[in-house]
Amino acid sequence: MAVPGAAALPLLLLLSGTAAGCGYESCPPTRPDMLNVHLVPHTHDDVGWLKTVDQYYYGVRNQEQHAGVQYILDSVVAQLAAEPSRRFVYAEVAFLARWWQQQGEPTRRLVRRLVQEGRLEFVGGGWCMSDEAASHYGGLVEQQALGRALLRRLFGPCGTPRVAWQIDPFGHAREAAAAFAQMGYDGLFLGRVDHQDKWRRLQRRELEMVWRGSDSLEPPRADIFTGILPNMYNPPPGLCWDQLCSDPPVVDGDGPERNVDEVVTSFLQAAAAQARQYRTNHILMTMGSDFHYENAHLWFKNLDKLIAHTNARQANGSRVHALYSTPSCYLRELHRANLTWPLKTDDFFPYSDGPHQFWTGYFSSRPALKGYERLSSGFLQVCNQLEALAGPSARAGPYGPGDSSVLREAVAVAQHHDAVAGTERQHVANDYARQLAKGWDSCQVLVANALSLLGDTKDPLVFCNGLNVSVCPLSEATPQFTVILYNPLARAVSWPLRLPVSGASYAVSDPQGRPVASQVLPVSPVTRRLRGGAGGAPGELLFQAWAPPVGFSAFGVRQLRPGGGPDPPGGQQGQQGHQDTPGGHQDTPRGQQDSEELQIENEHLRVLADPGSGLLREIHNLRHGLSLPVSQSFYWYNASTGDGQSPQASGAYIFRPNASAPFPVSERAATRLVKTAVVQELHQIFSPWCSQVLRLRPGQPYLELEWTVGPLPVGDGLGKEVVSRFRTPLRTAGRFYTDSNGRQVLERRRDHRPTWNLSQSEPVAGNYYPVNTRIFIRDQKVQLTVLTDRSQGGSSVLDGSLELMVHRRLLRDDGRGLGEALDEPGVAGRGLAVRGRHLVLLDPAATAAEGHRPLAQEMATPPQVVLAAGAGPRLRQWSGLRRALPPNVHLLSLEPRGAGALLLRLEHLYGLGESRNRSTPVSVDLTTLFSSFNITSLEELALGGDVPLQGVSRLLWRTPSGTPKPRPEPRPDPRRVRLEPMEIRTFLASLRH
Ligand SMILES: *[C@@H]1O[C@H](CO)[C@@H](O)[C@H](O)[C@H]1NC(C)=O
Ligand SMILES: *[C@@H]1O[C@H](CO)[C@@H](O)[C@H](O)[C@H]1NC(C)=O
Ligand SMILES: [Zn+2]
């Protein structure tokens, strides 16, 4: 039976026609009178974890972890060809794509045939298996779409996966479930849910359910049948036959090693036990695990025997039928059972696999990588848009060949559940960053090509990737340059610029040549230390730029006076004078009892700090006449290294503080006030490794907190997990709110889970939730919202408080396979320093969403800054749109799709009932929306952008409240595209230029 490689081909030809096409029709026959055990051969191939993607693919560093995906695919294909009853499911398209490129036509033909016959089935089918806590919905949808598109291109409709396969992510998000439903998946399978939740569900036989992914979308649009697998994604004990396992093979014959009777008996016992926890006479067993099937012959040969010997017992009255199957064939049987399934509406966070083992540390692990992933996703949108708007010449313009696919794939890889999650080894994290950086390079070429074309410029365009630490060679060295701001949002934005410069004063002019107020301020000591030797500018030029919808503006910058320190008061052309001392700042030494308030202010907000402690004390919203005492400071939890209750240490996955109360980094902060016409700042230094700037600019309705934390000192032998904590007198009764993948908002309650009686054993870690973009607390009247620039863990562990974990440095591994402490080396091994931003909003509770929704969008897809030496583009301002989209509509995707076509995703930003003004249905005329072409017709696609919505027919499931049926979708009219709250619509648009 072992017929590997080429010899398999003739055999296959002989056996062809045994399966009746792919899809549900190709499912193996089952026995309605018996317990059917669906054996699902699979491999779980992490797209990077202990090894890099390359190392896993080729099998490099096998002494550290034996794993080589190329051999897995070789071996599985040969073994499937050898025996037509065998089945296999594969998930990670990042690996499949590489492998496919290296195959010759005979193997490709064979694989196509296996797929057409349903013997090789794709599950999940994203580029990777997304993380669900730290991934933003934009990145999540893109990576799933990328994998699905390739499967469809290679294999046609038979390549399109029917089940989502999230068997390893460490908790599951509601928005992700909604996204899977809207991509057309029929079911979703999960491996990890909280142990208390799982225990309760298996007792009540509620491991399988209908998960309603949205309160806003009309069922069943965001409903997805969801099953929790019995053994995570492993086989039952004793039945593991990979070369990585140590269970004995099935021994038949009549020699002394014969064990087949015991093996079958133990299999039947496992099946019977499992059947008691599920509702139908069908159960699923995952036969495989991490990087299994490198020698697929072992697994398949033993499974062949297990099936044969199990079914042979039917002659003696056994009522168990074992079969090779797939998750979709199993799902189809559950559907046929015609049962009523429980309904779930919350999510599966946080995940714990024991009383002191909350997987809530990874919400914050590797904050720099999380920040880089978010920035990269935003830049990918810019790259996509400019490729669509500038046309094919963006790919082959004056800057050389530009390409969005490198960044698209790198961002897709970064969504993996050990990538953005921060649970990979250090060298693997470095490799993810390397892949992203490579993607930035080729997208920057594309963006430069597009902008030079659209703006008509001969001056070289350059990018400054170090602006967060005030490094930019061009602005530092050049007395005259141009700043181009490209805005990917479909409404105009105003954006603060801060560029390192050597001169003392500058004249800045807007696209119409009018002067723009600007100011040079000294680079802060904290930023100087952070940038190290990377830059040397003494000052930063500040001004407020803006850009039209989906377009750019160019701002001219000309040095008026060379350096030698910041300019004195009085103001130059295009500037307004300062309001205080020379240098634009005044120092308030620590602890000084100053009768003058530490206060910064603009027309929206007045922010007060305590003159004694230097800490934030109160926020006034001047527009709404609201004020709230708010104190904010940094604290660190002492990471547990295990104790009498449990040996569990805090690590990359798990957060476990050794006490509930964190230590303040400092009781007081040394402060320095900077007040000028373009910005007001309060600089706070808490310790040599922890500082912050509170910042208000004219026109800005939020308080910006720019924090700089690290390298965390661990010379005392204590792992540290640093949080920014806000305290208010709001009566919150344990309630707080966090977002789901940056989109929906879910209510959280301290020490509470919506669907079971929680026995809480970790008062801090057990109350942490993923914060993708925002967390808020509120009472009847006011809401305090904090927006983040990357994913972080957050909670409200005390009434009226909220906190976000900004950084963690740990000295122990937490025993989940990583085998490495989360101790990021940073620059020169001194430990990692991280800088990020929190935007704080204080609003009337009733209208708060109208503040945080658009702002979160700006954080996720910020404008891109491009510099040009000299005068820059002849065209100083350009918009790809004739008019802005309405304030509740977001242009989520704008990508080229061949000649004369575009992929468009439009999104309603607000949830049902979230805002009186904005949570209403809205219509958009797309025909004349764009300035350089008209849209003549639309085809509506499912969310993945790969299949026509008309062609999507999902299985319908009955819940206690009935069987919701989809409404027929009328053919979209490009003149009136209507969006309901929280709806995303995906279109293939035909254009006329
Ligand atoms: C499914 O169950 C419902 C309600 O119990 C019943 O009315 C219906 O006929 C059943 N459908 C099938 C195909 O058995
Ligand atoms: C696009 O539509 C507008 C308004 O109907 C029309 O004036 C314009 O000529 C059209 N442009 C193209 C390229 O078809
Ligand atoms: Zn995994």
Side-chain angles (χ1 to χ4, degrees):
M1 214 154 79
V3 194
L9 280 173
L11 183 65
L12 183 78
L13 293 178
L14 268 175
L15 297 167
S16 70
T18 49
C22 66
Y24 294 122
E25 298 71 40
S26 72
C27 286
T30 56
R31 297 286 304 262
D33 53 334
M34 292 189 184
L35 174 64
N36 295 274
V37 186
H38 294 248
L39 300 171
V40 175
H42 82 107
T43 179
H44 177 64
D45 298 348
D46 288 307
V47 183
W49 180 39
L50 308 183
K51 308 205 288 190
T52 66
V53 185
D54 268 9
Q55 289 164 354
Y56 275 134
Y57 180 73
Y58 288 104
V60 183
R61 290 211 202 194
N62 265 357
Q63 66 284 7
E64 287 168 40
Q65 182 190 14
H66 190 104
V69 176
Q70 58 170 341
Y71 307 124
I72 294 175
L73 291 166
D74 290 344
S75 185
V76 162
V77 166
Q79 290 302 317
L80 286 176
E83 163 55 46
S85 69
R86 293 173 177 172
R87 306 239 167 178
F88 195 79
V89 296
Y90 196 73
E92 297 86 1
V93 175
F95 287 124
L96 180 87
R98 277 173 182 237
W99 182 82
W100 184 262
Q101 280 187 338
Q102 301 184 346
Q103 304 310 305
E105 196 45 43
T107 306
R108 289 182 174 186
R109 220 170 17 241
L110 165 60
V111 173
R112 280 195 205 100
R113 170 174 296 226
L114 293 171
V115 173
Q116 303 310 316
E117 294 178 354
R119 294 153 69 184
L120 174 61
E121 178 180 310
F122 299 106
V123 289
W127 202 247
C128 65
M129 191 181 295
S130 280
D131 177 62
E132 297 190 36
S135 57
H136 189 262
Y137 70 97
L140 196 139
V141 167
E142 284 251 356
Q143 84 83 13
Q144 206 69 28
L146 184 64
R148 289 176 59 102
L150 184 71
L151 292 176
R152 199 158 178 95
R153 195 158 76 238
L154 299 184
F155 306 110
C158 291
T160 295
R162 290 181 300 281
V163 303
W165 191 243
Q166 296 289 101
I167 57 175
D168 196 27
F170 332 124
H172 299 282
R174 193 179 189 205
E175 185 62 33
F180 288 128
Q182 292 170 83
M183 288 180 196
Y185 289 95
D186 274 328
L188 163 64
F189 289 92
L190 310 178
R192 299 177 184 271
V193 302
D194 182 278
H195 69 287
Q196 291 181 36
D197 191 10
K198 185 167 181 189
W199 175 244
R200 179 184 156 282
R201 286 180 180 280
L202 68 82
Q203 284 179 320
R204 302 162 67 124
R205 302 214 289 180
E206 291 186 352
L207 289 163
E208 293 170 328
M209 70 208 84
V210 172
W211 189 359
R212 180 149 296 163
S214 171
D215 291 333
S216 298
L217 299 177
E218 189 182 337
R221 288 193 57 189
D223 290 0
I224 189 158
F225 184 90
T226 301
I228 297 162
L229 297 170
N231 306 301
M232 220 160 68
Y233 52 89
N234 299 308
L239 305 174
C240 188
W241 292 303
D242 196 73
Q243 65 183 17
L244 297 173
C245 300
S246 46
D247 293 336
V250 178
V251 183
D252 41 16
D254 50 10
E257 298 292 336
R258 180 182 170 93
N259 68 359
V260 61
D261 311 295
E262 297 94 86
V263 170
V264 169
T265 300
S266 110
F267 170 71
L268 291 174
Q269 282 167 353
Q274 188 178 328
R276 280 192 289 277
Q277 298 161 0
Y278 290 84
R279 294 197 172 185
T280 72
N281 63 328
H282 293 267
I283 57 173
L284 183 157
M285 290 184 183
T286 42
M287 304 310 270
S289 193
D290 292 8
F291 298 97
H292 278 198
Y293 288 81
E294 189 172 318
N295 181 355
H297 183 53
L298 270 61
W299 253 120
F300 278 121
K301 182 152 204 159
N302 285 286
L303 284 173
D304 287 347
K305 289 188 175 173
L306 178 72
I307 291 169
H309 288 281
T310 296
N311 294 348
R313 287 207 191 176
Q314 291 165 6
N316 303 332
S318 166
R319 310 294 290 164
V320 174
H321 178 64
L323 66 153
Y324 279 118
S325 186
T326 69
S328 68
C329 290
Y330 170 69
L331 186 70
R332 170 182 177 251
E333 298 292 349
L334 297 186
H335 187 254
R336 280 180 169 178
N338 194 22
L339 302 181
T340 300
W341 302 94
L343 187 68
K344 179 185 177 71
T345 55
D346 60 330
D347 67 355
F348 288 103
F349 284 115
Y351 165 57
S352 74
D353 53 1
H356 301 285
Q357 302 164 191
F358 283 89
W359 297 45
T360 53
Y362 82 96
F363 300 162
S364 309
S365 295
R366 300 194 184 279
L369 182 66
K370 283 180 162 69
Y372 194 31
E373 182 280 323
R374 185 66 55 88
L375 275 180
S376 304
S377 295
F379 185 48
L380 175 60
Q381 293 313 315
V382 168
C383 196
N384 286 339
Q385 289 189 357
L386 283 169
E387 191 174 4
L389 296 170
S393 32
R395 267 177 269 132
Y399 294 85
D403 185 2
S404 58
S405 68
V406 186
L407 186 60
R408 188 170 301 113
E409 290 178 18
V411 168
V413 163
Q415 308 305 311
H416 167 59
H417 59 272
D418 295 301
V420 69
T423 53
E424 65 281 51
R425 287 209 173 144
Q426 184 60 44
H427 77 98
V428 179
N430 297 346
D431 188 66
Y432 289 130
R434 179 193 63 79
Q435 294 182 51
L436 290 169
K438 214 173 129 211
W440 277 77
D441 287 346
S442 44
C443 259
Q444 286 181 341
V445 171
L446 193 150
V447 166
N449 283 337
L451 287 177
S452 63
L453 190 82
L454 293 170
D456 187 13
T457 176
K458 301 283 176 286
D459 291 322
L461 300 179
V462 295
F463 294 83
C464 285
N465 296 331
L467 285 178
N468 61 335
V469 288
S470 214
V471 174
C472 177
L474 181 80
S475 63
E476 285 170 37
T478 317
Q480 186 182 358
F481 58 93
T482 304
V483 180
I484 304 166
L485 191 71
Y486 179 82
N487 165 30
L489 296 178
R491 60 181 162 85
V493 295
S494 174
W495 195 252
L497 283 176
R498 205 172 179 105
L499 302 166
V501 289
S502 314
S505 72
Y506 289 79
V508 178
S509 53
D510 77 3
Q512 284 76 37
R514 294 170 305 209
V516 176
S518 71
Q519 178 90 48
V520 175
L521 290 176
V523 175
S524 78
V526 173
T527 299
R528 283 170 191 258
R529 205 167 57 232
L530 205 57
R531 76 183 174 192
E540 288 175 333
L541 172 68
L542 276 64
F543 66 94
Q544 195 73 14
W546 60 87
V550 189
F552 67 82
S553 295
F555 293 80
V557 178
R558 188 166 48 84
Q559 184 180 302
L560 295 175
R561 277 196 308 110
D567 53 347
Q572 307 289 342
Q573 182 207 345
Q575 287 184 240
Q576 293 153 29
H578 310 154
Q579 297 175 339
D580 58 349
T581 53
H585 65 279
Q586 67 189 35
D587 290 326
T588 307
R590 171 186 185 135
Q592 180 184 312
Q593 287 303 310
D594 198 334
S595 56
E596 196 197 352
E597 285 278 12
L598 277 182
Q599 166 182 326
I600 56 176
E601 178 169 355
N602 67 8
E603 69 270 39
H604 292 279
L605 297 170
R606 179 181 303 139
V607 174
L608 285 74
D610 183 84
S613 67
L615 304 183
L616 174 65
R617 198 187 75 195
E618 194 165 327
I619 301 178
H620 292 260
N621 183 325
L622 304 170
R623 285 282 162 91
H624 290 103
L626 292 174
S627 73
L628 186 69
V630 181
S631 71
Q632 180 272 342
S633 192
F634 292 90
Y635 299 79
W636 60 277
Y637 289 102
N638 182 357
S640 179
T641 54
D643 57 22
Q645 287 188 304
S646 160
Q648 182 63 57
S650 215
Y653 299 90
I654 286 166
F655 171 35
R656 186 167 187 234
N658 84 343
S660 295
F663 300 98
V665 169
S666 170
E667 300 288 351
R668 48 187 62 216
T671 56
R672 190 163 62 86
L673 210 48
V674 176
K675 289 196 182 187
T676 77
V678 296
V679 74
Q680 296 200 1
E681 298 179 337
L682 177 67
H683 293 242
Q684 299 171 314
I685 308 241
F686 296 87
S687 81
W689 52 268
C690 181
S691 63
Q692 183 170 252
V693 180
L694 283 63
R695 190 174 281 145
L696 287 176
R697 302 180 189 87
Q700 174 186 297
Y702 56 87
L703 169 66
E704 174 178 321
L705 304 185
E706 184 184 60
W707 47 267
T708 304
V709 174
L712 306 184
V714 286
D716 54 7
L718 306 177
K720 294 184 180 60
E721 322 209 23
V722 179
V723 298
S724 170
R725 180 182 279 182
F726 299 77
R727 300 200 59 179
T728 74
L730 289 179
R731 296 163 180 270
T732 53
R735 284 174 166 79
F736 58 108
Y737 301 82
T738 61
D739 65 304
S740 183
N741 305 114
R743 201 144 188 271
Q744 300 180 56
V745 172
L746 297 183
E747 183 185 88
R748 312 297 190 180
R749 279 170 68 186
R750 193 162 58 249
D751 298 331
H752 176 86
R753 303 287 186 263
T755 55
W756 84 91
N757 263 335
L758 175 68
S759 158
Q760 183 62 281
S761 42
E762 285 286 331
V764 177
N767 284 311
Y768 257 65
Y769 288 87
V771 176
N772 237 266
T773 57
R774 75 205 83 181
I775 179 169
F776 56 82
I777 49 176
R778 66 184 179 199
D779 67 8
Q780 300 292 320
K781 292 216 309 271
V782 304
Q783 174 168 322
L784 183 76
T785 310
V786 181
L787 297 176
T788 65
D789 59 355
R790 72 201 69 203
S791 288
Q792 297 174 327
S795 187
S796 170
V797 296
L798 306 165
D799 268 2
S801 81
L802 63 80
E803 68 188 48
L804 289 153
M805 187 177 287
V806 296
H807 199 358
R808 44 202 322 254
R809 186 176 187 185
L810 305 169
L811 304 174
R812 295 290 192 91
D813 178 58
D814 52 5
R816 295 303 185 281
L818 182 58
E820 216 177 72
L822 182 69
D823 183 6
E824 295 179 272
V827 177
R830 286 192 296 265
L832 180 69
V834 187
R835 168 171 282 180
R837 296 190 307 150
H838 288 145
L839 306 189
V840 181
L841 293 153
L842 177 70
D843 285 312
T847 56
E850 292 157 36
H852 67 73
R853 286 277 176 203
L855 202 49
Q857 229 61 45
E858 279 180 33
M859 298 276 270
T861 33
Q864 281 295 317
V865 178
V866 186
L867 270 61
R874 287 210 325 199
L875 185 61
R876 305 301 279 181
Q877 185 152 314
W878 177 85
S879 174
L881 302 188
R882 288 213 174 98
R883 56 188 174 275
L885 286 176
N888 44 4
V889 179
H890 176 55
L891 179 64
L892 179 60
S893 309
L894 170 60
E895 297 171 23
R897 275 293 163 97
L902 287 177
L903 180 85
L904 284 178
R905 284 193 188 90
L906 290 179
E907 169 188 358
H908 195 301
L909 274 180
Y910 290 80
L912 198 62
E914 191 179 35
S915 157
R916 182 143 35 90
N917 300 322
R918 303 275 163 86
S919 294
T920 46
V922 56
S923 288
V924 181
D925 177 0
L926 288 183
T927 53
T928 56
L929 177 65
F930 291 91
S931 57
S932 41
F933 50 80
N934 288 352
I935 288 179
T936 52
S937 70
L938 294 176
E939 178 180 24
E940 184 150 20
L941 307 175
L943 180 61
D946 54 347
V947 290
L949 195 60
Q950 294 280 356
V952 175
S953 150
R954 301 171 66 220
L955 301 177
L956 301 178
W957 303 87
R958 189 161 64 242
T959 68
S961 57
T963 311
K965 306 218 169 36
R967 247 196 306 180
E969 293 288 339
R971 192 171 170 77
D973 176 355
R975 284 165 306 173
R976 269 184 302 277
V977 172
R978 183 181 156 95
L979 292 158
E980 303 283 339
M982 276 280 129
E983 188 175 29
I984 301 176
R985 294 184 74 179
T986 306
F987 300 107
L988 185 66
S990 305
L991 319 178
R992 187 171 57 226
H993 282 275

